[in-house]
Amino acid sequence: MKISYVILILSFTVFTAKAQESTNSSGGDASGSGGTVAYSIGQVVYTTNTGSNGSVAQGVQHAYEIFTVGIKETELNISLTAFPNPTAENLTLQISEYKNEKLSYQLFDMHGKQISNGQIIAQQMQINMNDLPTATYFINVVNQENKKVQSFKIIKN
């Protein structure tokens, strides 16, 4: 007897339940002098409320956010090279079309710890890596606002 009641209650709830299912084909936001509304096309389950000024159909709406992810490119018209790579002693950082831009370098290990840094004062400069252990390093060349111009992955052997 108890089993038949349970089956009856379950079948009643299954047939009368309206889940939050929605296969929307489009949607957006609309605004006017009377207010703002978010809408979607393709809403499966909704409820309509009617008043003296009109009607509104309510349904399931999910919030969304749009993020633009990117890196703002620097406007320096220079070409950077780092050689030899892999290196054993000194790394040469060469900048073509160098016009006394205020650039500096930052040398990092694989853990993100800054090993050294310095100003770039010539078209070609040497970075001493003699005392560093054999590992992979990163060199970031940054401008005066500390924005990255270019990065290099350097292997020290």
Side-chain angles (χ1 to χ4, degrees), residues 87-89 107-109 115-116 127-135 137 154 156-157:
T87 186
E89 296 175 0
L107 180 64
F108 295 95
D109 65 7
I115 304 297
S116 68
I127 299 172
N128 186 359
M129 298 185 75
N130 280 330
D131 299 333
L132 298 177
T134 300
Y137 297 92
I154 306 298
K156 165 73 165 59
N157 54 9

Side-chain angles (χ1 to χ4, degrees), residues 124-150:
Q124 190 171 8
M125 66 175 298
Q126 301 282 323
I127 299 172
N128 186 359
M129 298 185 75
N130 280 330
D131 299 333
L132 298 177
T134 300
T136 302
Y137 297 92
F138 295 99
I139 291 186
N140 293 339
V141 177
V142 295
N143 63 11
Q144 61 189 8
E145 290 94 28
N146 206 28
K147 292 186 180 178
K148 194 182 305 182
V149 175
Q150 192 164 349

